[in-house]
Amino acid sequence: MQKTLDEILKGCIANDRKCQEMLYHRFSGTMFGVCLGYTKDRDEAKDVLQEGFIKVFKNIKKYSGEGNLEGWIRKIMVNTSIDFYRQRARKNSHVNFDNVPDVLETEYSILETISANEILGLIQQLPDGAKIIFNLYVVEGYTHDEIARMLDISEGTSKSQFWRAKKLLQQMLNGTYESNKIVA
Amino acid sequence: MEKDFLNWYKRKFNQLNVPPPDDAWENIANDLDMDEVWQGVDAELNKRDRRKTAAKLTAALALFVSLGGGLFLLTNKNVEKNKNQTVSQNTVAGNLKEKKTKQEDVLSDVETTTTSALVAVSKSTGKNNLSVPETKPDTKSEQKGENLIAENLSTNNRNSKSLIYKHNVLTSLNGADISDNALNSATGKNMLMTAIAPLFAQLTINDNGITDSLIYQKINDSVHTKNTGANTFEATDAHSFIIGVAFASANTWLLNNDTYNGLKAGTLNRTLFSYGKSYAVLVGYNLSNKYCLQTEWVINNTHNQQYVDFKQGHQVSRDLKVDYTQLNVLMKKKNEMYHFGNKLKTSFNFLAGLNYSYVKSFTEQTDESVNSIKNNYKNNQYNLILGLEYQVFIRQSWIISSGIRTNIGLQNIYKGTSTVPSAFNKTYDSSIGLNIGIGYKINRNK
């Protein structure tokens, strides 16, 4: 028997494992996509997804019911991704934005032919810091000031990394476009 | 154009729907199950910890009360003893004064008799140079008197008795110590007994184990005490030095992204209460009765931060441990108080100052290993110190103090590495704790 979202939510608050599983299956696809957009690879995205959903279930009582449940879960996933990024950045990663070559202007009409999965492939190629800043700014709608505070960096760093990420993405898109043209 | 690109990107990104790996839900369910089990274990452990903490607090309180009570009784006993001694000395001084007055009266009577006798002797011997010594004959006059006695004994035995009396009475007055025996005997009726009475008097006092000079010293001391405010403490601490040792136990916090997250609800990191110990030697200088400048060399101060780091689906216990050697410079604002009729002196102090810390070692211990992370942190650190202190003065020079202090980190102590900039792992070190100390006051004018 299919349960409504409200019933699932009530079950999750009561710590009902079945309802938790239903909630997970309802949102896991979208959330895994979000996680992939903020992590370096599938393995890390999986870890973020797991930890994110554990946070969701532990804190579901705090969900006031106001606003979109999906938006609330998404926010937890993004924050968990940022936590992962900070931990990783502190320990062993090195983000190098130097030597990003200038790119040609992209023909946006052609971009429409690129699928979401192809976009994902491109996102995965972006350097970690740049990818997070770019997605936080473009997709989540945070300002550079907010991003700077979230990542403990200066606003200037956020802006410059965003700019460089955008250039790099455009460069990759041009490459994809060129290769698509060749295939065609 | 740029806006189009960004909108396009956002739209594409939001269309992403990627099925997660099959085992993801199993892992989540396992974690949730594990977490429920852990919550039960954790609740039990916390219960035990609370019992342990309560036992420690009770023991500490009992120790504090017994130590404080013992010190108070000791102080009280000493003060009482000093008081009794002072009263007894005042009584002796009063008696001596009274006796001296009585004796002077007797002396006056005797002097008249003696003068007559001397005049008679003078007349019989034909010597005109005899004179009655002044109230306190010096050695020369004493010798003179003895010569006279020797001389007159051979010529006039009856009159010489008066001279013997006179000489001895004056000698005893010079010694400033006369007993009741001596006083009662000095009536002039029995001149020989009176003459030797001061010797008994001297012997009696010596039997009590107190010498003349000691008595006078005690009297002077009691007068001094009275003049300094009717208590057993010196009227001022100004310009005195204090040396001492101190020990502290503090709740320490090394706060960075991970440990700070552990304090927040809704994260799987868990930051635990951690404690460190320190020991120090100190030198203080009382600028006045109100202010004291104190320098402390903290030979070793250990700060800890234990936390459980939830990472990639696993809980890892971590313990950051840093050993410092430190230099504290503090200014104390004192508020001295006297209790129980000035028998107990205490001081309630507010203190503020700066701390310089040098990192001796910095390690991170996990379940599996201990790694030195000293190179990732700044060797030289500066903190602000604020605190309250309560001091109890024992006798004149000993000071026992206890208090609460907070050490506030002023700077990000994370130095950064080639891959992780300083700003990405801002770390602040602070602590709050209890400290006890014992000091000895040295007066510059002593």
Side-chain angles (χ1 to χ4, degrees):
Chain A
M1 180 186 156
Q2 196 74 19
K3 288 189 176 182
T4 65
L5 191 59
D6 274 352
E7 286 170 334
I8 292 172
L9 199 58
K10 281 176 188 167
C12 289
I13 290 168
N15 214 17
D16 181 338
R17 194 53 42 85
K18 207 78 191 158
C19 290
Q20 286 173 340
E21 191 174 353
M22 284 179 187
L23 189 79
Y24 169 79
H25 285 303
R26 181 171 282 212
F27 294 110
S28 61
T30 314
M31 294 309 147
F32 192 57
V34 171
C35 295
L36 284 167
Y38 286 90
T39 51
K40 63 173 178 163
D41 53 32
R42 281 180 69 89
D43 285 344
E44 191 177 82
K46 182 182 152 193
D47 288 335
V48 170
L49 183 81
Q50 286 172 190
E51 192 168 323
F53 265 107
I54 289 168
K55 284 181 188 174
V56 166
F57 295 133
K58 284 184 144 190
N59 296 286
I60 200 138
K61 286 175 191 168
K62 292 180 188 169
Y63 172 62
S64 59
E66 286 176 17
N68 189 349
L69 178 64
E70 185 179 337
W72 184 72
I73 296 172
R74 183 190 179 100
K75 200 163 186 173
I76 289 176
M77 294 298 164
V78 171
N79 287 339
T80 308
S81 302
I82 291 169
D83 285 345
F84 264 67
Y85 165 72
R86 283 198 294 221
Q87 287 167 5
R88 183 157 40 82
R90 207 182 62 242
K91 288 197 165 56
N92 51 24
S93 78
H94 178 54
V95 181
N96 186 358
F97 290 100
D98 296 335
N99 302 322
V100 178
D102 289 336
V103 292
L104 301 168
E105 286 296 320
T106 311
E107 292 181 39
Y108 296 102
S109 57
I110 304 300
L111 289 180
E112 289 301 330
T113 61
I114 296 173
S115 69
N117 281 342
E118 281 175 316
I119 283 290
L120 188 62
L122 298 179
I123 292 168
Q124 290 287 301
Q125 291 176 49
L126 283 173
D128 295 337
K131 177 165 55 186
I132 288 180
I133 289 167
F134 191 79
N135 284 337
L136 286 174
Y137 185 84
V138 178
V139 183
E140 311 303 330
Y142 288 109
T143 64
H144 284 298
D145 178 48
E146 288 168 328
I147 294 168
R149 276 188 274 122
M150 285 164 81
L151 298 179
D152 276 338
I153 56 174
S154 69
E155 197 177 332
T157 306
S158 176
K159 282 178 182 171
S160 65
Q161 290 198 5
F162 166 75
W163 182 79
R164 286 175 174 181
K166 194 182 80 179
K167 274 196 162 185
L168 201 59
L169 195 62
Q170 284 174 330
Q171 184 191 26
M172 291 189 293
L173 283 168
N174 282 334
T176 307
Y177 166 67
E178 290 298 326
S179 61
N180 282 351
K181 236 172 30 174
I182 292 164
V183 171
Chain B
M1 192 75 101
E2 180 181 312
K3 206 169 180 182
D4 289 341
F5 170 69
L6 297 180
N7 284 334
W8 166 84
Y9 179 85
K10 185 177 178 181
R11 200 173 62 249
K12 287 285 178 186
F13 188 90
N14 285 333
Q15 285 171 4
L16 286 173
N17 193 322
V18 187
D22 294 337
D23 61 344
W25 168 248
E26 282 174 32
N27 292 339
I28 292 167
N30 287 341
D31 269 337
L32 290 171
D33 289 340
M34 201 168 67
D35 204 54
E36 278 170 17
V37 174
W38 170 248
Q39 277 172 0
V41 174
D42 195 38
E44 183 60 30
L45 289 173
N46 282 340
K47 214 161 133 187
R48 286 181 195 171
D49 281 350
R50 277 199 295 274
R51 278 187 207 138
K52 265 186 187 174
T53 308
K56 280 179 188 171
L57 282 174
T58 310
L61 192 67
L63 186 70
F64 181 75
V65 168
S66 56
L67 197 69
L71 284 170
F72 173 71
L73 288 174
L74 187 69
T75 313
N76 204 26
K77 197 177 168 184
N78 286 333
V79 171
E80 200 64 40
K81 194 176 165 185
N82 287 341
K83 189 186 168 189
N84 291 338
Q85 205 171 16
T86 306
V87 169
S88 138
Q89 286 160 6
N90 283 335
T91 311
V92 171
N95 289 341
L96 281 170
K97 197 176 173 185
E98 193 182 330
K99 286 168 190 174
K100 202 167 178 178
T101 310
K102 282 181 183 175
Q103 199 151 21
E104 276 169 2
D105 292 343
V106 172
L107 187 62
S108 177
D109 293 342
V110 172
E111 204 167 283
T112 312
T113 314
T114 311
T115 308
S116 307
L118 287 169
V119 170
V121 170
S122 173
K123 279 179 183 172
S124 65
T125 57
K127 288 181 179 176
N128 295 320
N129 60 344
L130 290 176
S131 62
V132 178
E134 294 302 320
T135 51
K136 285 190 176 181
D138 55 14
T139 315
K140 198 178 169 185
S141 61
E142 262 183 46
Q143 187 61 46
K144 199 174 175 182
E146 281 168 6
N147 291 341
L148 273 172
I149 291 164
E151 191 178 346
N152 285 294
L153 275 172
S154 61
T155 55
N156 191 330
N157 192 42
R158 195 171 63 92
N159 288 337
S160 68
K161 286 180 181 176
S162 300
L163 288 173
I164 291 167
Y165 167 78
K166 173 74 177 175
H167 171 71
N168 284 299
V169 167
L170 291 174
T171 307
S172 68
L173 279 173
N174 194 33
D177 184 26
I178 299 164
S179 72
D180 287 343
N181 289 339
L183 200 65
N184 293 334
S185 305
T187 57
K189 290 177 183 174
N190 187 339
M191 294 297 179
L192 189 60
M193 284 303 290
T194 308
I196 62 172
L199 297 173
F200 288 114
Q202 183 70 41
L203 284 171
T204 308
I205 290 172
N206 280 338
D207 285 347
N208 288 336
I210 304 168
T211 64
D212 298 348
S213 58
L214 182 62
I215 288 173
Y216 268 101
Q217 193 181 332
K218 294 283 181 190
I219 292 166
N220 287 335
D221 283 350
S222 68
V223 170
H224 174 71
T225 304
K226 192 178 177 184
N227 288 341
T228 54
N231 60 65
T232 57
F233 297 98
E234 290 186 10
T236 178
D237 283 338
H239 308 301
S240 59
F241 285 96
I242 295 159
I243 55 170
V245 290
F247 305 91
S249 177
N251 172 213
T252 59
W253 294 98
L254 282 161
L255 291 177
N256 56 24
N257 291 329
D258 291 336
T259 55
Y260 183 66
N261 278 340
L263 296 171
K264 292 187 210 164
T267 63
L268 291 180
N269 276 19
R270 200 154 51 88
T271 299
L272 310 171
F273 277 88
S274 308
Y275 299 91
K277 290 174 188 168
S278 68
Y279 51 93
V281 291
L282 61 92
V283 177
Y285 180 68
N286 282 312
L287 299 168
S288 67
N289 281 342
K290 290 277 181 192
Y291 294 97
C292 175
L293 185 66
Q294 187 163 300
T295 307
E296 297 169 353
W297 174 35
V298 184
I299 299 165
N300 192 72
N301 190 355
T302 305
H303 280 199
N304 284 294
Q305 185 61 68
Q306 296 175 317
Y307 66 105
V308 178
D309 195 12
F310 192 87
K311 198 161 287 172
Q312 299 177 0
H314 299 286
Q315 284 188 319
V316 180
S317 294
R318 295 181 188 275
D319 185 6
L320 297 173
K321 184 181 172 189
V322 54
D323 281 324
Y324 293 113
T325 185
Q326 298 172 313
L327 187 69
N328 299 336
V329 180
L330 304 164
M331 181 64 83
K332 289 185 186 178
K333 167 85 169 63
K334 301 192 292 178
N335 180 22
E336 293 181 350
M337 292 167 281
Y338 292 89
H339 311 277
F340 307 110
N342 296 337
K343 288 173 191 170
L344 179 67
K345 180 182 171 184
T346 60
S347 181
F348 186 72
N349 307 333
F350 170 77
L351 54 93
L354 286 172
N355 156 277
Y356 161 74
S357 301
Y358 177 77
V359 177
K360 292 199 290 186
S361 70
F362 205 138
T363 57
E364 184 183 49
Q365 182 175 356
T366 63
D367 296 333
E368 295 163 356
S369 61
V370 181
N371 298 314
S372 173
I373 49 174
K374 185 173 184 286
N375 290 337
N376 299 348
Y377 290 84
K378 292 172 184 168
N379 280 337
N380 302 301
Q381 301 171 10
Y382 302 92
N383 299 317
L384 180 69
I385 301 172
L386 294 172
L388 298 170
E389 184 182 66
Y390 190 69
Q391 291 182 318
V392 178
F393 292 76
I394 311 292
R395 297 187 174 177
Q396 286 281 355
S397 300
W398 291 95
I399 304 162
I400 289 183
S401 61
S402 63
I404 184 166
R405 268 192 208 183
T406 178
N407 207 327
I408 303 161
L410 295 175
Q411 55 174 162
N412 171 19
I413 65 170
Y414 184 67
K415 190 164 67 178
T417 63
S418 58
T419 53
V420 185
S422 170
F424 276 73
N425 187 28
K426 284 180 182 168
T427 308
Y428 294 89
D429 184 6
S430 296
S431 66
I432 183 165
L434 300 171
N435 64 309
I436 55 167
I438 184 162
Y440 184 79
K441 192 179 77 178
I442 304 166
N443 283 324
R444 279 178 71 190
N445 53 6
K446 271 191 177 176

